[in-house]
Amino acid sequence: MADKIKDTKIIFVVGGPGSGKGTQCEKVVAKYGYTHLSSGDLLRAEVASGSERGKTLQAIMQKGELVPLDTVLDMIKDAMIAKVDVSKGFLIDGYPREVKQGEEFEKKIGAPCLLLYIDAKGETMVKRLMKRGETSGRADDNEETIKKRLDLYYKATEPVIAFYSSRGIVRKIDSELPVDEVFGHVAKAIDGLK
Ligand SMILES: Nc1ccn([C@@H]2O[C@H](COP(=O)(O)OP(=O)(O)OP(=O)(O)O)[C@@H](O)[C@H]2O)c(=O)n1
Ligand SMILES: Nc1nc2c(ncn2[C@@H]2O[C@H](COP(=O)(O)OP(=O)(O)O)[C@@H](O)[C@H]2O)c(=O)[nH]1
Ligand SMILES: [Mg+2]
């Protein structure tokens, strides 16, 4: 894995729940052909499979808590291995959720060259998630779980941004703007990569 991943760009996409990570990642895929791996989607796929492990995961996600680190990391790693030969770059969406997740990722997989920090106000995120909840069918898009996810984001995930800022790889993206303008800034950050 380590030698194969060397020439592949790894981009962490970090932001609160409902900040617009998934929306922007889709646009990056369309323009740059990167591989999009959403840690939340990988977990939801496991839940949908109906496996025993999926049942355990579902209970944790329903509460808005973090699933065990190794579970998510193994899923991301397997998905990366499956694509590494054909991928120009990886968008790792919704990961790391805490500094420890980032450290373990780097030990087992490799270092990110960029962290896209998708930033929106708390009230904006809540509004978007309540709207998304009307159609998403996601068990965690409800008022109570949204509040827990937001609290956990501020407590556990924001420190991730400070951690990578000191390395100079964080680009803060204002996600209050219309989607296409947000993407303009995302594209600039990616174009700036060597
Ligand atoms: N690295 C991760 C990613 C996700 N989760 C679990 O999966 C849930 C959903 O994750 P995700 O889809 O990334 O949700 P949000 O951050 O709310 O963002 P989005 O709305 O983009 O899906 C989280 O609340 C959490 O329980 C986790 O534990 N660890
Ligand atoms: N107005 C506006 N809505 C957005 C923007 N980005 C995402 N949304 C909406 O906000 C909701 C959450 O977006 P999503 O990409 O799922 O966010 P994620 O939780 O960070 O992956 C979706 O219903 C999107 O349609 C944006 O830049 N502007
Ligand atoms: Mg998402």
Side-chain angles (χ1 to χ4, degrees):
M1 183 76 180
D3 50 321
K4 278 199 177 177
I5 210 83
K6 211 170 57 230
D7 303 319
T8 312
K9 293 187 171 66
I10 297 174
I11 300 176
F12 285 161
V13 185
V14 176
S19 58
K21 302 178 297 290
T23 302
Q24 292 300 320
C25 284
E26 262 179 48
K27 297 179 86 66
V28 173
V29 170
K31 177 161 182 188
Y32 297 90
Y34 283 16
T35 302
H36 175 208
L37 297 175
S38 158
S39 50
D41 287 349
L42 293 171
L43 291 168
R44 281 185 287 278
E46 182 72 28
V47 171
S49 78
S51 67
E52 275 311 308
R53 182 160 81 155
K55 287 187 187 117
T56 311
L57 295 175
Q58 162 123 53
I60 297 170
M61 292 165 75
Q62 172 90 51
K63 286 190 275 185
E65 294 169 1
L66 292 181
V67 311
L69 191 160
D70 290 333
T71 307
V72 199
L73 189 52
D74 285 347
M75 283 180 180
I76 294 176
K77 190 175 176 189
D78 289 347
M80 288 179 81
I81 288 170
K83 287 280 169 66
V84 72
D85 288 326
V86 295
S87 195
K88 293 190 289 183
F90 287 101
L91 294 165
I92 310 297
D93 166 6
Y95 188 101
R97 286 295 229 272
E98 53 182 1
V99 170
K100 184 104 178 58
Q101 287 192 358
E103 290 173 335
E104 289 302 311
F105 183 101
E106 295 197 47
K107 269 191 222 157
K108 289 201 181 158
I109 300 172
C113 58
L114 174 68
L115 186 154
L116 290 172
Y117 166 27
I118 310 296
D119 182 42
K121 285 185 287 197
E123 59 181 281
T124 304
M125 295 192 264
V126 172
K127 229 186 285 166
R128 289 180 185 173
L129 289 174
M130 290 304 288
K131 178 103 189 97
R132 187 176 75 184
E134 291 169 12
T135 53
S136 70
R138 274 179 55 169
D140 57 354
D141 280 348
N142 63 74
E143 204 167 352
E144 196 189 334
T145 311
I146 289 169
K147 189 180 174 308
K148 288 194 192 149
R149 286 152 72 198
L150 212 53
D151 286 348
L152 189 60
Y153 169 70
Y154 290 124
K155 203 169 70 191
T157 310
E158 277 201 342
V160 170
I161 295 156
F163 180 80
Y164 287 103
S165 287
S166 61
R167 240 188 251 180
I169 63 166
V170 173
R171 294 292 172 273
K172 182 174 178 175
I173 307 290
D174 179 1
S175 185
E176 294 286 338
L177 303 167
V179 173
D180 288 330
E181 281 178 47
V182 177
F183 183 63
H185 294 286
V186 167
K188 237 189 272 164
I190 294 178
D191 289 336
L193 294 172
K194 284 182 287 300

